Amino acid sequence: EITPIEFLQPLKKLSPLKNTLTKDTTLFVIKESLGSTLKTEQGFRQTKQGEQAYTTEGITIADIERIAKSAYEFASFKNLPIVSIDMADKTENGKLWRRIVSKIANAYPAIKTTHMLIEDCLFALSQRPKDFGILLTSNMIGQILTAQLASLTGVPESIASANIGLDNDLYYAYHTHPDDKEPNPIGCILSTALLLSQSCKLISEAKSVERALKTVLATHLPKAIGGTLSASKFTETVTLEILNAK
Protein backbone atom coordinates (compact mmCIF):
# COMPACT_ATOMS: atom_id res chain seq x y z
CA GLU A 1 0.00 0.00 0.00
CA ILE A 2 1.30 3.43 -0.94
CA THR A 3 0.09 6.68 0.61
CA PRO A 4 1.58 10.01 -0.56
CA ILE A 5 1.48 12.68 2.13
CA GLU A 6 1.79 16.15 0.62
CA PHE A 7 1.61 19.32 2.66
CA LEU A 8 -0.35 21.42 0.16
CA GLN A 9 0.62 25.09 0.42
CA PRO A 10 -2.93 26.47 -0.03
CA LEU A 11 -3.91 24.43 3.06
CA LYS A 12 -0.88 25.36 5.18
CA LYS A 13 -2.96 27.30 7.73
CA LEU A 14 -4.83 24.11 8.60
CA SER A 15 -1.68 22.24 9.62
CA PRO A 16 -0.57 22.35 13.28
CA LEU A 17 3.06 22.51 12.08
CA LYS A 18 4.87 25.68 11.09
CA ASN A 19 5.03 26.24 7.35
CA THR A 20 8.82 26.40 7.52
CA LEU A 21 8.79 22.73 8.55
CA THR A 22 6.44 21.52 5.83
CA LYS A 23 6.86 23.79 2.78
CA ASP A 24 7.52 21.78 -0.40
CA THR A 25 7.38 18.52 1.57
CA THR A 26 5.96 15.27 0.21
CA LEU A 27 6.40 11.95 1.97
CA PHE A 28 5.38 8.45 0.96
CA VAL A 29 4.27 5.74 3.35
CA ILE A 30 4.73 2.30 1.81
CA LYS A 31 3.42 -0.49 4.00
CA GLU A 32 2.98 -4.24 3.69
CA SER A 33 -0.75 -4.91 3.70
CA LEU A 34 -1.20 -8.38 2.22
CA GLY A 35 0.76 -10.94 4.19
CA SER A 36 0.65 -9.50 7.69
CA THR A 37 -3.07 -8.73 7.49
CA LEU A 38 -4.01 -12.17 6.23
CA LYS A 39 -1.82 -13.94 8.79
CA THR A 40 -3.29 -12.27 11.87
CA GLU A 41 -4.68 -14.46 14.63
CA GLN A 42 -6.79 -13.08 17.46
CA GLY A 43 -9.25 -14.18 20.09
CA PHE A 44 -9.75 -14.76 23.80
CA ARG A 45 -8.31 -17.44 26.08
CA GLN A 46 -8.33 -18.34 29.73
CA THR A 47 -5.18 -17.95 31.83
CA LYS A 48 -4.41 -18.24 35.55
CA GLN A 49 -4.97 -14.47 35.79
CA GLY A 50 -8.35 -14.70 34.05
CA GLU A 51 -9.56 -13.99 30.54
CA GLN A 52 -6.91 -12.74 28.12
CA ALA A 53 -7.32 -11.09 24.73
CA TYR A 54 -4.61 -11.66 22.14
CA THR A 55 -3.72 -10.59 18.61
CA THR A 56 -0.73 -11.88 16.67
CA GLU A 57 0.69 -10.51 13.44
CA GLY A 58 2.61 -13.03 11.39
CA ILE A 59 4.86 -11.94 8.55
CA THR A 60 7.08 -14.02 6.27
CA ILE A 61 10.38 -13.31 4.59
CA ALA A 62 8.55 -13.36 1.25
CA ASP A 63 6.11 -10.70 2.50
CA ILE A 64 8.96 -8.40 3.53
CA GLU A 65 11.00 -9.01 0.39
CA ARG A 66 8.02 -8.24 -1.85
CA ILE A 67 7.21 -4.86 -0.28
CA ALA A 68 10.86 -3.90 0.23
CA LYS A 69 11.75 -4.52 -3.42
CA SER A 70 8.71 -2.49 -4.53
CA ALA A 71 9.72 0.35 -2.19
CA TYR A 72 13.30 0.42 -3.46
CA GLU A 73 12.18 0.43 -7.08
CA PHE A 74 9.87 3.33 -6.26
CA ALA A 75 12.68 5.11 -4.39
CA SER A 76 14.97 4.68 -7.40
CA PHE A 77 12.35 6.26 -9.66
CA LYS A 78 11.69 9.15 -7.25
CA ASN A 79 15.34 9.53 -6.17
CA LEU A 80 14.31 9.52 -2.51
CA PRO A 81 15.88 7.99 0.63
CA ILE A 82 14.15 5.21 2.54
CA VAL A 83 13.51 5.14 6.28
CA SER A 84 12.52 1.66 7.41
CA ILE A 85 10.34 1.72 10.53
CA ASP A 86 10.07 -1.25 12.88
CA MET A 87 9.90 -2.46 16.49
CA ALA A 88 13.14 -4.42 16.39
CA ASP A 89 13.77 -3.70 20.08
CA LYS A 90 10.52 -5.37 21.14
CA THR A 91 9.26 -7.96 18.64
CA GLU A 92 10.59 -10.85 16.58
CA ASN A 93 8.62 -9.43 13.65
CA GLY A 94 10.64 -6.24 13.96
CA LYS A 95 13.96 -8.10 14.08
CA LEU A 96 13.08 -10.10 10.98
CA TRP A 97 11.85 -6.96 9.22
CA ARG A 98 15.11 -5.10 9.84
CA ARG A 99 17.26 -8.06 8.78
CA ILE A 100 15.44 -8.61 5.47
CA VAL A 101 15.15 -4.90 4.59
CA SER A 102 18.89 -4.53 5.25
CA LYS A 103 19.56 -7.41 2.85
CA ILE A 104 17.37 -5.87 0.12
CA ALA A 105 19.02 -2.46 0.69
CA ASN A 106 22.42 -3.94 -0.23
CA ALA A 107 21.11 -4.43 -3.77
CA TYR A 108 20.33 -0.70 -4.03
CA PRO A 109 23.53 1.07 -2.84
CA ALA A 110 22.46 4.38 -4.42
CA ILE A 111 19.44 4.61 -2.10
CA LYS A 112 20.20 5.93 1.36
CA THR A 113 18.61 3.65 3.96
CA THR A 114 17.97 4.44 7.62
CA HIS A 115 16.37 2.22 10.26
CA MET A 116 14.24 3.78 12.99
CA LEU A 117 12.07 2.55 15.83
CA ILE A 118 8.46 3.67 15.60
CA GLU A 119 8.57 5.85 18.73
CA ASP A 120 11.63 7.72 17.44
CA CYS A 121 10.02 8.14 14.03
CA LEU A 122 6.76 9.56 15.38
CA PHE A 123 8.68 12.21 17.31
CA ALA A 124 10.94 13.08 14.36
CA LEU A 125 8.01 13.46 11.97
CA SER A 126 6.56 16.27 14.06
CA GLN A 127 9.93 18.00 14.33
CA ARG A 128 11.58 17.58 10.94
CA PRO A 129 9.30 16.01 8.29
CA LYS A 130 11.58 17.27 5.51
CA ASP A 131 14.18 14.69 6.54
CA PHE A 132 11.98 11.84 5.33
CA GLY A 133 11.34 10.62 1.81
CA ILE A 134 9.83 7.13 1.86
CA LEU A 135 8.71 5.43 5.05
CA LEU A 136 8.77 1.66 4.60
CA THR A 137 7.02 -0.41 7.23
CA SER A 138 4.62 -3.19 8.20
CA ASN A 139 0.83 -3.00 8.22
CA MET A 140 0.18 -2.10 11.87
CA ILE A 141 2.97 0.47 12.13
CA GLY A 142 2.01 1.88 8.75
CA GLN A 143 -1.52 2.58 9.92
CA ILE A 144 -0.16 4.53 12.90
CA LEU A 145 2.29 6.53 10.78
CA THR A 146 -0.30 7.35 8.12
CA ALA A 147 -2.77 8.57 10.75
CA GLN A 148 -0.06 10.73 12.34
CA LEU A 149 1.00 12.29 9.05
CA ALA A 150 -2.56 12.81 7.83
CA SER A 151 -3.39 14.70 11.02
CA LEU A 152 -0.25 16.81 10.66
CA THR A 153 -1.44 18.03 7.25
CA GLY A 154 -4.54 19.39 9.01
CA VAL A 155 -6.79 17.88 6.35
CA PRO A 156 -6.79 14.04 6.56
CA GLU A 157 -9.42 13.86 3.79
CA SER A 158 -6.94 15.37 1.34
CA ILE A 159 -4.79 12.24 1.37
CA ALA A 160 -4.84 9.72 -1.47
CA SER A 161 -3.98 6.06 -0.98
CA ALA A 162 -3.63 2.91 -3.06
CA ASN A 163 -3.44 -0.81 -2.50
CA ILE A 164 -1.19 -2.14 -5.25
CA GLY A 165 -2.13 -5.82 -5.46
CA LEU A 166 -0.61 -8.79 -7.22
CA ASP A 167 -3.48 -8.83 -9.74
CA ASN A 168 -5.59 -5.71 -9.12
CA ASP A 169 -5.10 -2.23 -7.69
CA LEU A 170 -7.49 -0.26 -5.47
CA TYR A 171 -7.40 3.53 -5.13
CA TYR A 172 -9.26 5.54 -2.52
CA ALA A 173 -9.24 8.72 -0.47
CA TYR A 174 -7.88 8.28 3.04
CA HIS A 175 -10.14 9.04 6.02
CA THR A 176 -13.38 9.57 4.12
CA HIS A 177 -16.73 8.49 5.53
CA PRO A 178 -19.97 7.81 3.60
CA ASP A 179 -21.97 9.73 6.22
CA ASP A 180 -20.05 12.98 5.73
CA LYS A 181 -22.65 15.69 5.10
CA GLU A 182 -20.23 17.71 3.00
CA PRO A 183 -17.47 15.49 1.53
CA ASN A 184 -14.02 16.80 0.78
CA PRO A 185 -13.15 15.86 -2.84
CA ILE A 186 -9.43 16.63 -2.62
CA GLY A 187 -8.42 13.10 -1.64
CA CYS A 188 -10.49 11.57 -4.46
CA ILE A 189 -8.93 13.92 -7.01
CA LEU A 190 -5.43 13.06 -5.81
CA SER A 191 -6.35 9.37 -5.89
CA THR A 192 -7.16 9.81 -9.57
CA ALA A 193 -3.72 11.32 -10.14
CA LEU A 194 -2.17 8.43 -8.22
CA LEU A 195 -4.02 5.91 -10.37
CA LEU A 196 -2.81 7.61 -13.54
CA SER A 197 0.82 7.58 -12.40
CA GLN A 198 0.98 4.14 -10.76
CA SER A 199 -1.34 1.79 -12.64
CA CYS A 200 -1.66 3.58 -15.98
CA LYS A 201 1.92 4.95 -16.09
CA LEU A 202 0.51 8.23 -17.44
CA ILE A 203 2.92 10.50 -15.59
CA SER A 204 2.21 13.66 -17.60
CA GLU A 205 -1.55 13.28 -17.17
CA ALA A 206 -1.16 12.69 -13.43
CA LYS A 207 0.88 15.87 -13.09
CA SER A 208 -1.80 17.77 -15.02
CA VAL A 209 -4.41 16.73 -12.45
CA GLU A 210 -2.16 17.72 -9.56
CA ARG A 211 -1.33 21.11 -11.11
CA ALA A 212 -4.99 21.87 -11.78
CA LEU A 213 -5.93 20.98 -8.21
CA LYS A 214 -3.26 23.27 -6.75
CA THR A 215 -4.27 26.09 -9.10
CA VAL A 216 -7.89 25.90 -7.98
CA LEU A 217 -6.93 25.58 -4.29
CA ALA A 218 -5.04 28.86 -4.53
CA THR A 219 -8.34 30.71 -4.92
CA HIS A 220 -11.12 28.31 -3.92
CA LEU A 221 -11.64 25.77 -1.14
CA PRO A 222 -14.36 23.14 -0.79
CA LYS A 223 -17.03 23.73 1.85
CA ALA A 224 -15.79 20.77 3.89
CA ILE A 225 -12.70 22.74 4.92
CA GLY A 226 -14.15 26.22 5.19
CA GLY A 227 -14.52 27.22 1.54
CA THR A 228 -17.53 28.12 -0.55
CA LEU A 229 -17.62 25.42 -3.25
CA SER A 230 -19.62 22.23 -2.90
CA ALA A 231 -17.77 18.97 -3.59
CA SER A 232 -19.33 18.66 -7.05
CA LYS A 233 -18.67 22.31 -7.95
CA PHE A 234 -15.07 22.09 -6.73
CA THR A 235 -14.48 18.94 -8.78
CA GLU A 236 -16.05 20.57 -11.83
CA THR A 237 -13.77 23.59 -11.42
CA VAL A 238 -10.69 21.36 -11.26
CA THR A 239 -11.88 19.46 -14.35
CA LEU A 240 -12.30 22.70 -16.29
CA GLU A 241 -8.83 23.81 -15.20
CA ILE A 242 -7.36 20.59 -16.60
CA LEU A 243 -9.15 21.07 -19.93
CA ASN A 244 -8.24 24.76 -20.20
CA ALA A 245 -4.58 24.05 -19.48
CA LYS A 246 -4.25 21.83 -22.55
Side-chain angles (χ1 to χ4, degrees), residues 82-190:
I82 283 182
V83 180
S84 178
I85 316 300
D86 58 46
M87 296 177 66
D89 61 332
K90 297 180 178 68
T91 69
E92 296 304 314
N93 281 7
K95 294 174 184 176
L96 179 64
W97 179 276
R98 185 169 294 202
R99 174 162 63 88
I100 300 304
V101 170
S102 297
K103 184 186 75 171
I104 300 298
N106 290 333
Y108 297 86
I111 303 300
K112 179 183 177 181
T113 301
T114 306
H115 296 277
M116 291 187 75
L117 299 173
I118 181 174
E119 56 267 36
D120 297 330
C121 179
L122 289 171
F123 177 78
L125 283 173
S126 63
Q127 300 294 313
R128 50 181 198 280
K130 287 180 179 290
D131 290 355
F132 294 83
I134 295 172
L135 292 88
L136 170 63
T137 192
S138 63
N139 184 54
M140 182 180 69
I141 295 176
Q143 290 185 33
I144 296 171
L145 290 175
T146 303
Q148 162 90 343
L149 284 166
S151 65
L152 290 178
T153 67
V155 192
E157 309 86 11
S158 69
I159 305 300
S161 194
N163 271 309
I164 308 299
L166 300 177
D167 300 310
N168 299 293
D169 304 332
L170 174 65
Y171 293 83
Y172 57 94
Y174 178 80
H175 208 278
T176 55
H177 195 281
D179 293 333
D180 289 343
K181 293 182 179 179
E182 186 59 53
N184 182 352
I186 296 176
C188 289
I189 294 171
L190 288 175

Side-chain angles (χ1 to χ4, degrees), residues 200-233:
C200 303
K201 307 304 180 186
L202 298 173
I203 308 302
S204 177
E205 288 80 357
K207 290 182 178 180
S208 295
V209 174
E210 293 172 349
R211 282 195 299 268
L213 173 63
K214 293 174 183 178
T215 298
V216 173
L217 281 174
T219 54
H220 299 89
L221 294 179
K223 286 183 179 179
I225 54 175
T228 58
L229 298 184
S230 65
S232 59
K233 186 63 177 178

Side-chain angles (χ1 to χ4, degrees), residues 40-52:
T40 295
E41 296 181 4
Q42 57 187 349
F44 297 88
R45 57 195 172 198
Q46 291 297 325
T47 69
K48 293 181 179 180
Q49 289 76 36
E51 188 176 37
Q52 180 188 67

